[in-house]
Structures are given as C-alpha cells and as structure tokens.
Amino acid sequence: MFHLKILTTWNRSNIQLVIVDEGGRVNLGGLFMFMTISVDGFFEGRDHDISWHNVDDEVHKFAIMQLRETDAILFGRRTYELFEDFWPKAAEDPRISKDNLEIARLINNMDKVVFSKTLTKVEERENWRNVKLIRDVNSEEIKRWKQESGKDLCIGGSNLAVSFARLGLIDEIRIMVDPVVLGEGTRLFEGIKDKLSLSLLKTRTFKSGSVLLYYQPKYGK
C-alpha cells in the first residue's frame, strides 16, 4: 500500500499529488480505467440509472481480484459521492453477501483520491478511511511516477477518465459491455473531441453474457 503526501500552497494550481512507498520513494504502477456500459454505449441510463448493471457471483469475484491488484481508486466528484454513500453502509449491513463485504473492506482500506474543485472537504470515518481531496495534478509529475513499480491505480468516473485521456495518462482501458440496450443516457467518453485509437489486448466473456474488453490507448496515432 502506498502513502499519499499532499504538497500544497495557497495557489491551487500548485497542488500536487505525491505517491510514495514506506521508504519515501515514488511508487506508482499503471493507470487503468474501468467502466460498465450498455451495448449502445451508455455507462448510465436516464436520471443516472445504473440498476441495469449485470452483477452476479462471477462479476463479484472479478471485482475482488481487480481490487486486490489495485492500490488506489481515483474519483471524480460524482462517482466519489456514489461510492461514499453506498459502500460504508454496505459494510455494516448484516444482509450483505460475503463477496460484497470483501469488496467493501478492500475499498475502505485502500487509498481513495478525489479530484474536485467544488468539494470543500472529504471526511473519513470507521468504514471510509484513507481519503484525500486533490484540486489539480501535475501531469508531467504523474508520467514520471508511472515509471516506478507498484500496483495499479483505477480511475473511476467517466468525466475524470476523459480528463486523463486528454493528457495521455491512461495506460489501459477496461470496458465491461453488459447485454442490454438502453436507448438513452450518458455515453462513455462524452466530451472527447479528438480520435483516440485503441489496441485490443484481450477479452473475457462472463456466463451472464457480459464481455470485458481490455484496450491499450495509442496516443497520437
């Protein structure tokens, strides 16, 4: 597990996220994004509905595996608020499944970084620890940190993913395509203006009919 150190000044543009290991060395693995979408390309339906997500025991096991390979989740504000509202409560729910309890435990224990200029603060509690609020990130610093070894970081949230993709910071795009057509909603990568070519790395088919696609972005090609 890495540790976060925030170097701040009164000038917000100079706020930096520094990730170090216990010896004080910069330590960062790859940056990947993970999103679930419908066949027609929406990551959420009307009124932000995600009740259509295809979640079963196999998907839960995959989520646990992916979280165990991840050091931190990087959030935009809206996705962070959804997680903050759901997972701490899930950890205390006696009806929760064993797999969901493990997911809640992993999310609670890992570092959670929120990128937002509108949030004024983030609060930690018993089932929601290791949270940091960041205003701005120096992309050149992040590129250097990614040369060091370490577990991966997961980008959660479409808007944040768009921002990171524009800066060429995403190393891998993981898209879970659920077997459903929504017809309306919010499309993934909404706001991307320029073409971004992708190379298919591998696929995984789930018994439910969902297909997980692993892509590597080809920036500038």
Side-chain angles (χ1 to χ4, degrees):
M1 181 69 69
F2 63 73
H3 302 277
L4 298 172
K5 291 184 178 179
I6 310 303
L7 306 182
T8 64
T9 69
W10 288 110
N11 184 347
R12 285 185 175 182
S13 65
N14 288 332
I15 295 177
Q16 297 180 15
L17 168 64
V18 179
I19 302 175
V20 299
D21 63 17
E22 293 181 354
R25 298 176 295 274
V26 174
N27 186 28
L28 181 64
L31 279 165
F32 75 90
M33 65 159 285
F34 174 80
M35 293 291 291
T36 298
I37 66 170
S38 63
V39 171
D40 50 345
F42 298 105
F43 73 88
E44 61 181 8
R46 182 170 56 186
D47 299 326
H48 310 301
D49 176 40
I50 58 171
S51 62
W52 50 273
H53 281 193
N54 209 359
V55 180
D56 57 14
D57 288 345
E58 187 180 18
V59 171
H60 283 150
K61 293 291 192 297
F62 163 75
I64 290 170
M65 177 195 71
Q66 183 165 257
L67 285 169
R68 286 175 176 168
E69 296 173 349
T70 303
D71 261 341
I73 305 177
L74 313 183
F75 295 100
R77 179 187 60 81
R78 192 151 63 90
T79 305
Y80 171 78
E81 289 175 343
L82 290 171
F83 270 62
E84 183 189 28
D85 180 64
F86 180 80
W87 286 110
K89 295 176 184 176
E92 299 174 350
D93 188 345
R95 300 166 297 177
I96 194 173
S97 69
K98 182 179 178 181
D99 284 342
N100 267 329
L101 184 62
E102 176 64 4
I103 291 171
R105 185 192 68 81
L106 289 166
I107 292 174
N108 179 37
N109 288 333
M110 70 172 48
D111 290 296
K112 294 169 282 292
V113 184
V114 192
F115 293 89
S116 174
K117 294 183 179 180
T118 57
L119 282 177
T120 57
K121 63 178 180 178
V122 292
E123 296 182 358
E124 296 186 355
R125 51 193 187 276
E126 178 60 27
N127 288 317
W128 195 250
R129 301 191 296 267
N130 307 317
V131 186
K132 300 292 181 181
L133 174 62
I134 307 295
R135 303 296 182 189
D136 297 284
V137 174
N138 185 318
S139 62
E140 293 304 314
E141 285 294 313
I142 290 180
K143 289 176 183 178
R144 285 196 289 269
W145 299 336
K146 282 166 40 178
Q147 302 304 312
E148 302 292 330
S149 62
K151 289 185 177 181
D152 290 334
L153 302 186
C154 176
I155 301 171
S158 178
N159 289 340
L160 185 64
V162 167
S163 297
F164 273 66
R166 285 172 174 165
L167 295 171
L169 296 173
I170 299 178
D171 299 304
E172 188 173 288
I173 295 172
R174 303 176 186 179
I175 299 176
M176 181 80 82
V177 183
D178 279 0
V180 60
V181 174
L182 296 181
E184 62 179 333
T186 309
R187 293 192 183 277
L188 186 63
F189 293 120
E190 198 162 279
I192 286 283
K193 302 299 183 183
D194 299 318
K195 183 184 77 170
L196 176 59
S197 297
L198 308 174
S199 293
L200 182 64
L201 299 175
K202 62 179 180 178
T203 66
R204 174 177 171 178
T205 302
F206 290 75
K207 295 177 182 178
S208 63
S210 296
V211 179
L212 179 59
L213 307 171
Y214 293 78
Y215 288 106
Q216 182 180 44
K218 298 193 293 184
Y219 297 109
K221 296 183 180 179

